[in-house]
Amino acid sequence: MKNSKRIKDNAIFFLLSVLSILFLVPIIIVFINSFKSRIYISSEPLKLPTSETFVGLENYINGIASSDFLSAFFRSLFITVVSVVLIVLFASMAAWYIVRVNSKITKMIYYLLVSMIVPFQMVMYTMTYVTNRANLDNVLGITLVYLGFGAGLSVFMLCGFIKSIPLEIEEAAMIDGCSPLQSFFTVVFPMLKPTAITVAILNTMWIWNDYLLPYLVLGSDNKTIPVAIQLAMQGAYGSTDYGGFMAMLVLAIVPIIIFYVFCQKYIIKGVVAGAVKG
């Protein structure tokens, strides 16, 4: 019995190790090619840099200069941070209200929010028209657009966790003199930490890497990192500076990897907690 369990565990470990390597291979290839001359990236994409193909930090320097990477980086950082803060704050408050009030109106709101989990491509033309007419086609306005698109899944996850919080805890806080908002921010919101961090991680990875929505809403005047990289590296007659392209991809990946590594322990905990049903 123990031997069969050990064999099963080893097989699962081997399978997960293989999958991990497969997921890492594209990132490793991008990193390796970011130090190679653009001429050899197309012809020898899987080979390590040699004395002939190695160009040092030339691709990074040229890529940063041609794409205005620093401006795009801080613009993406501002949009991502503000959008994620808005999503976590308003989605948690909406989820708390929906669960605690539990009326026909809140149920209708809940199903309406869940129905908003639709592919962006289905609404991108009408959404672009509305954002232009509402003067939301700017760096601050796009955060409200992300709030609308991120609210559905976030409320769904947070509702599941709030259902597992005993109502007696909030009633005790109100007996001590807390208002409903004070009860939420001092009692409920701190208990939402695992799920709230999971919501923040998922939305951060989505917003940071998003290309289509910033391109349609902000255009080429207020470029985010994905848009800046695409526009800068695409040359005339379809030619592409693959060296600079790979280097900028590495710089774009690093912040999100660092953020994920520090917060990854909350993902499984938060997803499992958000799946609890009352």
Side-chain angles (χ1 to χ4, degrees):
M1 191 70 178
K2 290 183 179 180
N3 290 334
S4 61
K5 186 178 184 301
R6 184 179 300 174
I7 293 173
K8 182 180 178 181
D9 292 340
N10 290 336
I12 293 175
F13 176 78
F14 175 77
L15 177 62
L16 294 177
S17 299
V18 172
L19 289 175
S20 300
I21 294 172
L22 290 176
F23 279 114
L24 288 174
V25 164
I27 299 176
I28 295 172
I29 291 176
V30 169
F31 180 75
I32 291 173
N33 284 289
S34 68
F35 295 99
K36 293 163 62 176
S37 171
R38 58 183 296 182
I39 301 174
Y40 297 97
I41 292 176
S42 299
S43 59
E44 303 175 358
L46 301 180
K47 291 185 178 181
L48 293 173
T50 63
S51 57
E52 182 181 2
T53 63
F54 183 71
V55 294
L57 298 177
E58 180 181 335
N59 290 330
Y60 289 87
I61 296 172
N62 294 337
I64 290 174
S66 60
S67 64
D68 195 15
F69 183 84
L70 293 180
S71 297
F73 175 85
F74 288 110
R75 192 175 294 114
S76 290
L77 183 64
F78 174 82
I79 293 172
T80 302
V81 171
V82 174
S83 299
V84 171
V85 170
L86 290 176
I87 291 172
V88 172
L89 178 61
F90 287 101
S92 59
M93 295 178 70
W96 174 69
Y97 181 82
I98 289 171
V99 172
R100 290 302 183 233
V101 174
N102 195 24
S103 64
K104 290 183 179 180
I105 296 177
T106 57
K107 288 181 180 179
M108 183 178 66
I109 295 173
Y110 175 75
Y111 290 120
L112 180 63
L113 286 171
V114 172
S115 66
M116 291 171 61
I117 309 175
V118 296
F120 170 71
Q121 289 78 4
M122 292 180 61
V123 296
M124 62 181 182
Y125 292 112
T126 53
M127 186 277 304
T128 304
Y129 175 78
V130 171
T131 54
N132 290 335
R133 293 297 297 270
N135 294 322
L136 296 177
D137 50 350
N138 52 69
V139 175
L140 189 59
I142 196 174
T143 60
L144 299 178
V145 180
Y146 276 120
L147 172 60
F149 276 102
L153 180 61
S154 302
V155 169
F156 179 75
M157 293 181 61
L158 289 163
C159 277
F161 183 79
I162 293 175
K163 289 178 182 178
S164 67
I165 300 177
L167 183 59
E168 290 77 9
I169 297 177
E170 298 174 46
E171 292 175 344
M174 291 183 181
I175 292 173
D176 291 337
C178 290
S179 65
L181 280 179
Q182 288 175 329
S183 175
F184 172 76
F185 284 108
T186 59
V187 177
V188 178
F189 193 73
M191 298 178 68
L192 290 175
K193 181 180 178 181
T195 307
I197 292 179
T198 302
V199 169
I201 293 172
L202 296 176
N203 283 288
T204 297
M205 291 191 292
W206 159 51
I207 296 171
W208 181 267
N209 294 315
D210 190 22
Y211 170 81
L212 190 55
L213 180 57
Y215 182 74
L216 291 175
V217 175
L218 301 178
S220 58
D221 295 330
N222 295 310
K223 298 186 292 290
T224 57
I225 286 181
V227 177
I229 293 175
Q230 174 65 25
L231 294 180
M233 297 302 109
Q234 191 69 38
Y237 304 106
S239 62
T240 303
D241 180 7
Y242 286 107
F245 191 70
M246 297 294 176
M248 294 303 96
L249 287 178
V250 172
L251 293 180
I253 292 171
V254 169
I256 206 68
I257 289 179
I258 295 174
F259 178 75
Y260 179 81
V261 167
F262 280 102
C263 300
Q264 63 173 333
K265 64 180 180 180
Y266 295 101
I267 290 183
I268 297 178
K269 186 189 298 183
V271 171
V272 171
V276 175
K277 294 183 179 180

